[in-house]
Amino acid sequence: MAKRPTIRDVAEAAGVSKSLAAMVFSSEAGVSADRRDKVLAAAKKLGYTPNQWARSLRSGSGSFVGILLNDLHNPLLTEIADLTRNALLEKGQQSFVSAVVISEKNGKRFVEPSSIHSLLDLKPKGLVVVGGLPDLKPFKTLPEDVPVIIATAPAAGLPNATVVRSDDDKGLWLLVDHLVDLGHKRIAYVGPDDSPNSIARMSGYKKAMLDRGLEKYIVTQVAERNEAGGYAAAKLLLQDKNAPTAIIGFNDNIAFGVQGAVSEHAKAGMTPVAVAGYDNTYVADLARVSLTSIEQEKEAIAMKVSELITNPRVAAEYRGREITLLPRLVVRNSTLKPS
Amino acid sequence: MAKRPTIRDVAEAAGVSKSLAAMVFSSEAGVSADRRDKVLAAAKKLGYTPNQWARSLRSGSGSFVGILLNDLHNPLLTEIADLTRNALLEKGQQSFVSAVVISEKNGKRFVEPSSIHSLLDLKPKGLVVVGGLPDLKPFKTLPEDVPVIIATAPAAGLPNATVVRSDDDKGLWLLVDHLVDLGHKRIAYVGPDDSPNSIARMSGYKKAMLDRGLEKYIVTQVAERNEAGGYAAAKLLLQDKNAPTAIIGFNDNIAFGVQGAVSEHAKAGMTPVAVAGYDNTYVADLARVSLTSIEQEKEAIAMKVSELITNPRVAAEYRGREITLLPRLVVRNSTLKPS
DNA sequence: TTGTATGCGTTATCAC
DNA sequence: GTGATAACGCATACAA
């Protein structure tokens, strides 16, 4: 198959020098109109598009923004990555999404450093990290003027990064508040406690309960971050004599598992238990699921991120700081009707 | 921040020439043990890892496999991409996942060619395309010896690609067969008809109905490929006097919408309608959803793909051919109990 | 305005 | 076994 044309092929076809042809694609001015047209025509005919990686290599920095996606399975993260990419596209900013490799070595999951280096070696002009990475050290090799924005996760040890995330304390306060208003007192929380993110939410739950004078009803149950984890944890909670009347899950996935356990509980003739999740995944909105959840305002996050990455002034202003957005409660059947 | 060390830094630190240092990382032999150790020690101390893109540029081909992800929102595709990546990792094959950009121009969605070129310019040693791309022309610029594998989609006009997908005819046959065994006759199909993939499934449905002698009950309703599309289409079907007693959706997402419409239908006192989807997304397995679906054997697809990409002999053998895997029926409540 | 030379980080081809 | 040199595709400082 035909080899990809290079700028030399274009120059030759247009009858000009390589550098002249290069100028047509790099800087706007500096080339006479007729020659520029010739080059453009030749490029179009050959189907030439610049190799942006060679460009990165030479210039020290590319013209694209790198988006590092933490987990392909998490709909919240893929959604935010996609929204960010679209927001950047609207500003005319190219981006490149790549997914981190997570491998497992003797039972422990960790991020392959090479999958981070791969993106950094492409020399992005800015970097967006979507989701919490356990180790952000590799990013320290980035040049000073490359902004790093971390979406929906704390900046574990990266002093110059900007964090854009929604306020977990507020989110859990909204959930607890909503449930208390419905008459619940025994409100339990189910979720992991192995990451900054999960710890923040659990702590938000406790603060909210305290705030409502319900400290003696605080019950937390550790769970793995998937449906099965939520199911198992809820089963444990529900067999207690002082079983909760409402359960909040760390995220929607866990809450789905809780819903499963709660359904079985209700079928056994027990009083129905309210369930709420977090992240407002599209699944939560399905008619059959109808799970009350917290919307992290993904669009707002994406907009903020794209603004930070494209506007150097704003980027400089927020370097090393955290931008906190207000989450929003989305009430659905799981906390209203009996399930 | 510290700049990323290059091979020159390593060579200098080890007191050897760049070429010698390079040999340590490229070929196994050809360098004396003591110098090799010196280089390795220096590399470790500086935290050096080779820039694989510069390597690609020079060698004409990198050491990694490119995985092009069609749609970040489709759980089937992200799952297959991830499984493929893991299968490759187990064979010691690095891979790089990047997502295509889909933009919208005057109402029409299309793939940004630049997002494909970006990955091709990295010069992968093999390419995996996950999901159906409307236009595969850009891949024609790949060298002859770079295998292209297309997962879960037809090879629209790429004669040298290998396709790995499951048999849609068989999948729809399994669904229709299952429903007929349960006593259904009025089995309708809901889904789009705007892509090779969707046309294949719709045709599979018709063949299966014919095969069971139910040609006079064939009813298809076009729907957009999302929950809302399924909901709207099902609403239309259900208001008919000869409403179907079972509805098959093009994929799970559409079937979720159908489930919503069917629930409302049942609440209005009508006889419950069976629903089935396709792709066996993790959502289908949620207790509250419990949707009968077709498993495309994602693991098997990923295994096949990774074998094709890593084994040149197998790749050559299947070049230009299609590998069809057998799908599997997963029965859940949506086709059993009244919903 | 146009062409030439140099280098980004790497590997391949030579000499030595 | 080792080291200098060219080249991958591109951009830029410089000279013409």
Side-chain angles (χ1 to χ4, degrees), chain A residues 19-259:
Chain A
S19 17
L20 196 267
M23 293 188 69
V24 174
F25 293 100
S26 53
S27 47
E28 287 298 309
V31 180
S32 59
D34 53 338
R35 303 222 176 214
R36 149 172 258 112
D37 288 345
K38 259 191 192 165
V39 171
L40 255 21
K44 188 162 190 180
K45 187 180 162 202
L46 296 175
Y48 168 79
T49 47
N51 183 328
Q52 64 175 313
W53 312 127
R55 180 181 290 180
S56 286
L57 185 60
R58 160 67 218 202
S59 317
S61 159
S63 56
F64 73 102
V65 167
I67 300 181
L68 196 57
L69 183 55
N70 196 5
D71 183 0
L72 279 175
H73 295 305
N74 190 327
L76 174 74
L77 302 186
T78 54
E79 189 84 13
I80 289 178
D82 209 44
L83 287 169
T84 302
R85 151 167 280 194
N86 286 336
L88 288 171
L89 205 60
E90 276 181 19
K91 294 181 189 253
Q93 175 58 62
Q94 293 262 358
S95 63
F96 191 71
V97 174
S98 93
V100 141
V101 177
I102 299 185
S103 40
E104 224 168 302
K105 219 155 198 170
N106 39 23
K108 191 127 179 73
R109 288 160 57 89
F110 71 105
V111 174
E112 283 282 348
S114 68
S115 61
I116 298 178
H117 282 304
S118 294
L119 188 57
L120 299 188
D121 280 345
L122 257 17
K123 317 228 165 148
K125 63 181 283 197
L127 193 66
V128 179
V129 181
V130 182
L133 246 32
D135 181 14
L136 294 171
K137 270 183 230 112
F139 300 108
K140 298 206 171 170
T141 65
L142 281 172
E144 281 282 349
D145 59 341
V146 174
V148 177
I149 320 289
I150 300 177
T152 69
L158 255 198
N160 286 328
T162 303
V163 168
V164 180
R165 56 191 301 229
S166 79
D167 185 341
D168 284 342
D169 281 352
K170 178 71 179 170
L172 274 138
W173 188 89
L174 286 171
L175 284 174
V176 169
D177 194 57
H178 167 61
L179 291 167
V180 170
D181 282 356
L182 290 171
H184 292 280
K185 279 197 171 72
R186 301 192 183 281
I187 305 170
Y189 176 90
V190 163
D193 62 350
D194 58 355
S195 72
N197 223 312
S198 50
I199 291 169
R201 288 202 189 154
M202 195 179 274
S203 132
Y205 156 75
K206 288 178 185 164
K207 280 188 217 160
M209 291 293 278
L210 213 81
D211 191 56
R212 280 303 215 138
L214 297 174
E215 59 268 35
K216 61 182 223 180
Y217 294 109
I218 290 179
V219 172
T220 62
Q221 177 66 47
V222 174
E224 271 187 63
R225 46 187 85 223
N226 54 39
E227 199 206 349
Y231 178 84
K235 274 286 183 190
L236 269 176
L237 288 174
L238 291 174
Q239 71 187 26
D240 195 88
K241 38 195 162 269
N242 290 323
T245 63
I247 302 179
I248 299 175
F250 161 74
N251 65 14
D252 285 353
N253 263 343
I254 287 183
F256 298 148
V258 174
Q259 277 187 304

Side-chain angles (χ1 to χ4, degrees), chain B residues 57 76 93 100-101 177 179 185 187 202 256 258 310 313 316:
Chain B
L57 182 59
L76 174 74
Q93 175 58 63
V100 140
V101 177
D177 194 57
L179 291 168
K185 279 197 170 70
I187 305 170
M202 194 178 275
F256 297 147
V258 173
T310 52
R313 232 198 46 241

Side-chain angles (χ1 to χ4, degrees), chain A residues 1 4 53 118 121 140, chain B residues 1 4 53 118 121 140:
Chain A
M1 315 207 177
R4 186 106 191 267
W53 312 127
S118 294
D121 280 345
K140 298 206 171 170
Chain B
M1 315 204 175
R4 185 105 192 267
W53 312 128
S118 295
D121 281 344
K140 297 206 172 173

Side-chain angles (χ1 to χ4, degrees), chain B:
Chain B
M1 315 204 175
K3 216 185 121 227
R4 185 105 192 267
T6 76
I7 196 150
R8 305 162 72 111
D9 301 320
V10 174
E12 193 176 353
V16 300
S17 74
K18 300 114 207 162
S19 2
L20 182 58
M23 291 188 72
V24 174
F25 293 99
S26 53
S27 48
E28 286 300 306
V31 91
S32 58
D34 53 336
R35 302 222 178 212
R36 149 173 258 111
D37 289 345
K38 259 191 193 164
V39 171
L40 253 24
K44 189 163 190 180
K45 188 181 160 200
L46 295 176
Y48 167 80
T49 47
N51 182 327
Q52 65 174 312
W53 312 128
R55 176 182 292 182
S56 287
L57 182 59
R58 166 64 218 196
S59 317
S61 160
S63 57
F64 72 101
V65 166
I67 301 182
L68 196 59
L69 184 54
N70 197 5
D71 183 0
L72 279 175
H73 295 306
N74 190 328
L76 174 74
L77 302 186
T78 54
E79 188 84 15
I80 289 178
D82 210 44
L83 286 169
T84 302
R85 149 168 281 194
N86 286 335
L88 287 170
L89 204 60
E90 277 183 17
K91 294 181 190 253
Q93 175 58 63
Q94 293 263 357
S95 63
F96 191 71
V97 175
S98 93
V100 140
V101 177
I102 300 187
S103 38
E104 224 169 300
K105 217 155 200 169
N106 41 22
K108 192 127 178 72
R109 289 159 56 89
F110 71 104
V111 174
E112 283 281 348
S114 69
S115 61
I116 297 179
H117 282 303
S118 295
L119 187 57
L120 299 188
D121 281 344
L122 257 18
K123 316 224 168 150
K125 63 181 282 195
L127 194 67
V128 179
V129 180
V130 181
L133 245 33
D135 182 15
L136 294 172
K137 271 184 227 109
F139 300 106
K140 297 206 172 173
T141 66
L142 283 172
E144 281 282 348
D145 58 342
V146 173
V148 176
I149 320 287
I150 300 176
T152 70
L158 254 199
N160 286 328
T162 303
V163 168
V164 180
R165 57 191 302 230
S166 79
D167 186 341
D168 284 341
D169 281 352
K170 178 71 179 172
L172 275 139
W173 188 88
L174 286 171
L175 285 173
V176 168
D177 194 57
H178 166 62
L179 291 168
V180 170
D181 282 356
L182 290 171
H184 293 280
K185 279 197 170 70
R186 300 194 184 281
I187 305 170
Y189 176 90
V190 163
D193 62 349
D194 59 353
S195 72
N197 223 312
S198 50
I199 291 169
R201 287 200 188 155
M202 194 178 275
S203 130
Y205 156 76
K206 288 178 184 164
K207 280 188 217 160
M209 290 294 277
L210 212 80
D211 190 56
R212 281 303 216 137
L214 298 174
E215 58 267 37
K216 61 183 222 181
Y217 294 109
I218 291 180
V219 172
T220 63
Q221 177 66 47
V222 174
E224 271 187 62
R225 44 187 84 223
N226 54 39
E227 199 205 349
Y231 179 85
K235 275 286 184 192
L236 268 176
L237 288 174
L238 291 175
Q239 72 188 25
D240 196 271
K241 38 195 162 266
N242 289 324
T245 63
I247 302 179
I248 299 175
F250 161 73
N251 64 14
D252 285 354
N253 264 342
I254 286 182
F256 297 147
V258 173
Q259 277 187 306
V262 160
S263 288
E264 294 177 8
H265 194 248
K267 262 179 210 147
M270 316 294 282
T271 37
V273 173
V275 183
Y278 210 106
D279 290 349
N280 196 31
T281 297
Y282 79 97
V283 178
D285 193 41
L286 293 183
R288 301 292 297 263
V289 176
S290 195
L291 176 73
T292 293
S293 194
I294 293 290
E295 165 64 51
Q296 294 204 34
E297 305 292 12
K298 308 183 248 297
E299 285 97 348
I301 291 177
M303 295 297 289
K304 235 353 183 203
V305 168
S306 76
E307 189 191 347
L308 282 164
I309 220 96
T310 52
N311 189 331
R313 232 198 46 241
V314 180
E317 185 184 344
Y318 284 100
R319 160 183 281 247
R321 292 169 56 186
E322 180 162 327
I323 297 182
T324 313
L325 301 177
L326 276 188
R328 177 168 49 92
L329 176 69
V330 180
V331 176
R332 297 203 182 86
N333 291 340
S334 69
T335 55
L336 292 182
K337 298 187 205 165
S339 31

